[in-house]
Amino acid sequence: MPVQSRRRPARPNSTAQSARAASSVAPVAALDDWDGPNGPTGKGSRGKGGKNARRRKTPLWARLTLVFGAVLMLSSGVAIVGMRVVIDQATSTIQQENLLGAASKSDAEGGEDLEGPIDLLLLGIDARARLDADNVRADTIIVLHIPATHDQAYLLSIPRDTEVQVPAFKTSKYGGGTAKATEAFYHGAQNGGGLKGGAQLMALTVNKLTGISFDGAAIINFSGFKKIIDALGTIPMCVRQEVKSHHMKMVNGKPMWNHEADKVSGTKKPVVHKKGCRQMEGWEALDYSRQRYGLTHGDYDRQQNQQQLIKAMAKKAMSDGVMTDIGKLNALMKAAGEALILDTGGTPIANFIFTMRGVAANDLVLLRTNDGNFSGNGEGRETLKPISQQMFTAVKNDRLDEFIISNPTVLAPSK
């Protein structure tokens, strides 16, 4: 299937209006004038139709995208105090690519104006410097769903070992076949496909598995993700099961990756994540959220821990007023530039900073596939139980609220 062109034109690159007084925060209503007569363009409605055409509001997912660049698209802050030049500097390091290809929503599916339900694909990779660009798999696969009401957000994880049918992909010369979900990214990255090709083939694979097309996407490099958490300071995390790290050791009292620790001498102790709730530094929160060996339900428990991490980051960003502090925003965006690649459908990131509190961190609902239990097929691969297949169908049809009411077991435990 040929890759579709991106369907949304970029917004005008005009200068933002002067900032409001530093002691106040611009009201949410100001966003509605972004392209209106009081906005920076002063042209009212975009596109054809003149002044009688319906003015197109900045879609909620767009408002969330920049904040996701800082905290995985989950915070929905208030308007930023500062000029366009400051915003451009803060976001200039965040790379944008077409990560969806043919898996992006068509106009008929609501991809034209994004005023209906919003679906985003979040992919976590571990692309360390010692790995080649085509030697990467997606260990984290998350669908972020925002219903048409735009008053809630849901996280649904797809197990990395789920058996999937991976479509043929001309870019990487892959002929198609049966594989684990995590391997779809690898096949798309081969023969020069790179991270962009890996994401596009993963998006096509998830689309084939669930029927969901997407409005946007992000690749999160976990090796750089630690810096985003560090920019926030610490985040609150609850450890449900004590688990020994399979990735890190303490060397002379300092945490180090195993492959680095093995090269140095000194007193070495295992990193053990003890049960209980506490504030975690970036290295600890990231390491804990990556563990699956030693957990009762393996990757399913890890999915819940990763979702908890995302929500904790969003709440910390909101509570600390990051989105109204230029200094904190700059630090956060610099870290995001090293950890993220975004697909925003061609819309400039700077325009997304002016966001509203449509979905706050507390409105983020964590869901689990297969009721959080193994569902193997005897060949080392997971399969989606009927309840999970129905859940993804509910996402596609924007009836997830009704589905959860009838199937409360899909809700992940809060702590």
Side-chain angles (χ1 to χ4, degrees):
M1 178 182 295
V3 175
Q4 297 174 345
S5 61
R6 308 303 283 153
R7 68 277 177 193
R8 298 190 300 279
R11 287 186 177 272
N13 287 318
S14 55
T15 302
Q17 288 179 292
S18 298
R20 298 175 186 270
S23 61
S24 65
V25 176
V28 170
L31 273 173
D32 291 341
D33 291 328
W34 181 249
D35 277 335
N38 298 321
T41 67
K43 295 180 180 179
S45 176
R46 286 199 304 150
K48 300 178 180 180
K51 63 181 180 180
N52 293 325
R54 178 171 58 120
R55 178 166 53 79
R56 189 178 187 183
K57 295 182 180 180
T58 305
L60 177 62
W61 93 271
R63 300 165 192 260
L64 294 175
T65 299
L66 173 74
V67 187
F68 171 72
V71 289
L72 298 184
M73 293 183 186
L74 300 175
S75 174
S76 55
V78 294
I80 296 300
V81 177
M83 301 293 286
R84 174 63 183 259
V85 63
V86 177
I87 298 170
D88 284 341
Q89 288 176 351
T91 61
S92 61
T93 59
I94 300 179
Q95 182 180 348
Q96 292 194 80
E97 293 281 359
N98 178 356
L99 304 179
L100 292 174
S104 61
K105 280 186 181 176
S106 66
D107 291 352
E109 292 174 306
E112 181 179 7
D113 57 22
L114 298 175
E115 293 182 354
I118 309 303
D119 296 297
L120 309 175
L121 180 63
L122 315 181
L123 303 174
I125 64 172
D126 187 9
R128 282 168 266 178
R130 63 193 180 92
L131 297 176
D132 295 330
D134 61 355
N135 187 23
V136 177
R137 290 165 172 77
D139 283 335
T140 300
I141 309 164
I142 295 177
V143 175
L144 170 61
H145 175 72
I146 299 172
T149 52
H150 292 183
D151 59 355
Q152 197 85 58
Y154 301 89
L155 284 180
L156 302 85
S157 296
I158 296 176
R160 68 185 300 279
D161 293 334
T162 300
E163 183 171 276
V164 295
Q165 298 302 314
V166 184
F169 192 58
K170 184 176 180 180
T171 300
S172 64
K173 302 178 182 179
Y174 178 67
T178 302
K180 294 181 180 180
T182 183
E183 297 168 345
F185 195 101
Y186 172 84
H187 291 307
Q190 298 301 296
N191 298 312
L195 300 182
K196 175 181 175 181
Q200 289 187 357
L201 185 54
M202 176 62 79
L204 286 170
T205 302
V206 174
N207 173 263
K208 188 177 181 66
L209 176 69
T210 65
I212 300 170
S213 299
F214 297 96
D215 299 285
I219 296 176
I220 307 108
N221 182 354
F222 285 121
S223 295
F225 198 48
K226 170 185 172 293
K227 295 182 179 179
I228 297 180
I229 305 175
D230 288 340
L232 291 169
T234 61
I235 60 172
M237 292 285 288
C238 290
V239 178
R240 301 180 183 90
Q241 305 174 53
E242 180 175 314
V243 60
K244 177 182 176 181
S245 174
H246 281 252
H247 304 110
M248 304 188 77
K249 294 185 178 73
M250 299 297 292
V251 180
N252 297 325
K254 296 182 179 180
M256 295 183 67
W257 295 108
N258 286 339
H259 69 276
E260 296 172 341
D262 293 340
K263 298 178 182 179
V264 300
S265 58
T267 302
K268 301 178 182 179
K269 295 182 179 179
V271 170
V272 179
H273 299 284
K274 301 286 188 178
K275 289 181 65 175
C277 298
R278 57 186 174 273
Q279 292 288 328
M280 291 189 180
E281 296 179 7
W283 74 266
E284 184 182 9
L286 181 59
D287 186 61
Y288 171 63
S289 69
R290 296 180 62 205
Q291 303 306 316
R292 61 187 175 112
Y293 298 110
L295 297 178
T296 303
H297 299 291
D299 189 44
Y300 291 96
D301 288 337
R302 181 174 70 166
Q303 292 169 27
Q304 294 180 34
N305 294 337
Q306 289 174 341
Q307 291 178 356
Q308 179 194 178
L309 173 70
I310 291 171
K311 186 168 184 176
M313 291 175 67
K315 293 184 71 172
K316 184 62 180 287
M318 293 292 290
S319 63
D320 280 9
V322 171
M323 303 311 293
T324 55
D325 186 312
I326 295 298
K328 290 182 179 180
L329 177 66
N330 271 296
L332 205 53
M333 291 300 98
K334 181 179 179 180
E338 299 178 19
L340 296 158
I341 302 175
L342 300 180
D343 182 350
T344 64
T347 307
I349 296 180
N351 293 341
F352 297 172
I353 295 182
F354 299 92
T355 154
M356 68 177 190
R357 296 179 182 272
V359 179
N362 287 329
D363 296 324
L364 180 61
V365 180
L366 312 183
L367 303 177
R368 55 185 183 176
T369 50
N370 293 346
D371 289 332
N373 294 302
F374 290 109
S375 180
N377 61 4
E379 299 180 3
R381 295 171 178 168
E382 292 291 294
T383 58
L384 292 182
K385 295 179 180 178
I387 190 173
S388 294
Q389 294 172 335
Q390 293 164 14
M391 182 167 60
F392 284 111
T393 298
V395 170
K396 179 182 178 182
N397 296 329
D398 195 24
R399 302 182 69 114
L400 190 55
D401 291 358
E402 299 173 24
F403 177 82
I404 293 172
I405 291 174
S406 301
N407 300 274
T409 59
V410 301
L411 290 167
S414 58
K415 288 187 179 182

